[in-house]
Amino acid sequence: MDIFQVPQVDLSVTAEECAPLSPLLLQQAVCAPSRVSFLTGRRPDTTRLYDFHSYWRVHAGNYSTLPQYFKENGYVTMSVGKVFHPGVSSNHSDDYPHSWSLPPFHPSSEKYENRKVCKGKDGQLHANLLCPVDVAEMPEGTLPDIQSTEEAIRLLKMMKRNQSKFFLAIGYHKPHIPFRYPQEFLKLYPIENITLAPDPDVPKGLPSVAYNPWTDIRRRDDVQALNISFPYGPVPKDFQRQIRQNYFASVSYLDMLVGKLLNALDDMGLSNNTIVVFTADHGWSLGEHGEWAKYSNFDIATRVPLMFYVPGMTAPLSYPGDRLFPFIDLFAQVSKPLPQGKPKEMVELVSLFPTLAELAGLRVPPSCPKTSFHVSLCAEGQSLVQYFPSVKGGHESSDDGGKPDRPPIAFSQYPRPSDSPQLNSDLPLLKDIRVMGYSVRTSSYRCTHWLGFNPSNFSVDWNDIHAGELYLVESDPNQDHNMYQSETHSHLTKKLCRILEH
């Protein structure tokens, strides 16, 4: 078993200062659609964003966003790094000035992320997937996430000085590809200790439409040199281990930066009155099912962390001089596996908007009607505060006398251009989408229907079933055995997949 070296996150969980909510599933496992979804509180079928090439305020509806809602309620809202996905999907402005009080900050060194700055074994510079670097040798002598951390701390100091209510979003690049990070973090993960994925082969029962051919990985110089056949050709085992090693090292690099940021809250005396949320826009396959990257409906791609630190709720208020977030040197402490609970509820990232509104004491946006394109403020998720552990023990009470109205299911989806893997299967343009895979996930099962989709009017034909998947996750947690065609489970398939239609 590979163990992440993430002492800053370990500290928060093991000290019970944060409320980790899991299993947490997002709505589409790719950057722009996922970010627009959780920042508006709407699902991709409502934002009508499945690729990177439309702006929801024009293409779907003029929906309020999470930071916009805080801005309208007297907060100074600030964006650092990759919060909205840059480009068309956020109007080339990170949705400024709608969402932000100040112009969003982007680190100057991010323009080098995909350039030939990775030193290869031949001594030449390449645009590689694996790119551990000497930071001093990089253009500008820094990296984007280092710059973002420095800017976020500067803004915290400014808010402290001005005594302003603030909403600060920091979007880190790593562990997004390419894995360009300080090379010393490789030391935390000796290659001889790195294992392969527990299920590195493409499952025999996996419908071809469900497979992600990881095209963006194949474009990298070091991967191209391996001459891997498309679409199923396996990555050589030694390179699989290197990918996993570099991913883990990138995560530890991120953990170090998060630790510096949280430590700054302590330094400025802000820990007692600042809510902290830690999450991500998608998961990432590391060889499971013969897949790499995101772009699928598997849990490994749709599951993300979601942790809340709420002063006085998830942890008692600290005394003057106490440090809730002391910085921990990753190279001086070895992490232990995080405690693995088995919560019964399923939660969704689309619920982040109403949850933060409730935690901040703002009016929780109402639930969206079935059709909400003309409704500027509503939420398709529900507040998760009912699941939060109280410092007094138990959970926060809800409107029905303390008995949580547990959401039993979570939904995700992914588009495809055809039934078989193509070069654009990972990220088809809207005009090329012909199949939409809708998943319903309970604590025990995942059922997916791959259905005919018409991109000209965003319609789904529920009678045009291209393929199906059913996984019994209690006995098959890695989702390797598709039971969709099993007569024994046909009743379950009908029951779960009927839910998708509603």
Side-chain angles (χ1 to χ4, degrees):
M1 175 183 177
D2 299 310
I3 299 174
F4 285 105
Q5 305 295 323
V6 286
Q8 323 299 337
V9 175
D10 278 4
L11 174 70
S12 297
V13 176
T14 56
E16 296 184 349
E17 288 164 359
C18 287
L21 296 177
S22 178
L24 183 282
L25 275 73
L26 50 80
Q27 279 47 72
Q28 186 180 329
V30 68
C31 310
S34 176
R35 289 166 186 261
V36 169
S37 174
F38 73 73
L39 287 168
T40 62
R42 317 280 184 119
R43 302 179 190 279
D45 280 348
T46 307
T47 66
R48 289 183 166 174
L49 179 65
Y50 312 108
D51 57 17
F52 293 178
H53 303 290
S54 65
Y55 180 44
W56 77 92
R57 294 187 191 274
V58 174
H59 203 64
N62 188 26
Y63 310 143
S64 295
T65 68
L66 171 58
Q68 178 183 354
Y69 191 53
F70 274 75
K71 179 184 174 187
E72 291 169 351
N73 280 277
Y75 285 73
V76 177
T77 58
M78 299 163 287
S79 172
V80 172
K82 186 181 177 183
V83 179
F84 283 101
H85 192 86
V88 177
S89 64
S90 59
N91 202 34
H92 298 283
S93 65
D94 297 278
D95 199 44
Y96 176 79
H98 296 287
S99 289
W100 310 110
S101 307
L102 306 175
F105 170 86
H106 284 278
S108 58
S109 63
E110 72 180 7
K111 60 179 172 287
Y112 304 108
E113 276 294 275
N114 292 297
R115 295 188 186 177
K116 293 181 180 292
V117 295
C118 312
K119 188 175 291 185
K121 294 179 181 178
D122 58 3
Q124 302 299 309
L125 296 179
H126 300 273
N128 285 345
L129 172 65
L130 312 183
C131 191
V133 299
D134 181 341
V135 176
E137 295 180 355
M138 288 294 96
E140 302 185 30
T142 188
L143 294 173
D145 290 341
I146 294 174
Q147 288 184 292
S148 290
T149 303
E150 293 168 348
E151 174 65 8
I153 292 174
R154 185 189 74 82
L155 290 172
L156 285 174
K157 290 178 179 177
M158 184 174 73
M159 293 299 103
K160 170 70 173 179
R161 187 168 59 249
N162 296 343
Q163 297 186 328
S164 303
K165 292 194 303 181
F166 66 88
F167 178 107
L168 174 60
I170 304 102
Y172 286 113
H173 284 257
K174 298 305 109 178
H176 197 288
I177 62 172
F179 301 133
R180 188 166 73 107
Y181 61 92
Q183 60 192 9
E184 56 267 26
F185 287 88
L186 268 180
K187 299 174 184 176
L188 297 171
Y189 301 96
I191 192 67
E192 60 270 19
N193 294 344
I194 302 299
T195 64
L196 298 178
D199 49 352
D201 299 319
V202 180
K204 292 181 179 179
L206 182 70
S208 58
V209 69
Y211 183 73
N212 148 39
W214 35 280
T215 308
D216 60 343
I217 300 293
R218 298 172 187 270
R219 295 192 185 104
R220 310 290 162 166
D221 289 355
D222 49 353
V223 179
Q224 283 189 3
L226 299 173
N227 197 27
I228 299 169
S229 62
F230 184 90
Y232 298 109
V235 175
K237 290 183 179 179
D238 61 336
F239 200 78
Q240 289 189 41
R241 289 188 173 90
Q242 290 179 57
I243 295 175
R244 291 168 66 86
Q245 177 195 36
N246 279 262
Y247 183 90
F248 299 159
S250 295
V251 171
S252 290
Y253 163 55
L254 168 66
D255 179 79
M256 179 270 293
L257 295 173
V258 170
K260 287 187 175 182
L261 189 59
L262 294 175
N263 189 250
L265 282 180
D266 276 343
D267 288 344
M268 288 176 242
L270 294 173
S271 299
N272 261 354
N273 62 354
T274 303
I275 296 169
V276 180
V277 184
F278 179 81
T279 191
D281 57 350
H282 52 72
W284 218 78
S285 296
L286 284 165
E288 297 85 357
H289 315 108
E291 295 185 339
W292 301 88
K294 43 213 175 185
Y295 311 120
S296 82
N297 278 323
F298 277 114
D299 279 10
I300 197 71
T302 61
R303 190 174 58 224
V304 294
L306 181 62
M307 299 170 60
F308 291 85
Y309 162 72
V310 186
M313 180 181 290
T314 64
L317 296 176
S318 61
Y319 292 100
D322 286 353
R323 301 194 70 82
L324 283 170
F325 301 111
F327 182 77
I328 298 173
D329 185 351
L330 283 79
F331 298 95
Q333 171 169 321
V334 176
S335 291
K336 300 177 181 179
L338 295 178
Q340 299 295 312
K342 290 187 177 180
K344 294 181 180 179
E345 67 270 11
M346 301 297 303
V347 296
E348 300 179 291
L349 197 52
V350 75
S351 295
L352 180 61
F353 190 159
T355 303
L356 272 179
E358 181 172 354
L359 289 173
L362 305 180
R363 182 176 69 89
V364 177
S367 296
C368 291
K370 187 172 183 179
T371 301
S372 63
F373 295 112
H374 300 293
V375 181
S376 62
L377 180 64
C378 67
E380 294 184 341
Q382 62 175 350
S383 173
L384 304 174
V385 174
Q386 60 184 319
Y387 303 120
F388 281 41
S390 168
V391 292
K392 300 176 183 177
H395 288 76
E396 292 300 307
S397 61
S398 57
D399 292 339
D400 59 356
K403 198 173 183 181
D405 178 23
R406 296 186 181 275
I409 53 179
F411 298 98
S412 62
Q413 62 190 96
Y414 209 87
R416 295 285 189 232
S418 65
D419 288 336
S420 58
Q422 309 291 325
L423 290 175
N424 64 338
S425 288
D426 289 357
L427 192 60
L429 297 175
L430 173 62
K431 67 181 180 62
D432 296 326
I433 298 172
R434 295 294 179 270
V435 188
M436 187 69 73
Y438 289 96
S439 285
V440 55
R441 179 70 158 83
T442 73
S443 59
S444 302
Y445 311 102
R446 174 168 76 85
C447 184
T448 303
H449 266 176
W450 294 92
L451 304 165
F453 180 84
N454 184 342
S456 64
N457 59 11
F458 302 92
S459 65
V460 176
D461 186 347
W462 293 94
N463 295 314
D464 182 17
I465 301 175
H466 290 232
E469 299 171 76
L470 176 66
Y471 302 99
L472 316 181
V473 294
E474 289 187 335
S475 59
D476 180 25
N478 295 327
Q479 301 175 15
D480 295 320
H481 305 287
N482 183 8
M483 307 301 291
Y484 185 80
Q485 300 294 344
S486 168
E487 293 186 5
T488 305
H489 300 98
S490 60
H491 67 290
L492 185 59
T493 303
K494 292 177 182 178
K495 176 183 177 181
L496 286 173
C497 289
R498 269 202 304 269
I499 297 173
L500 287 169
E501 299 183 35
H502 300 92

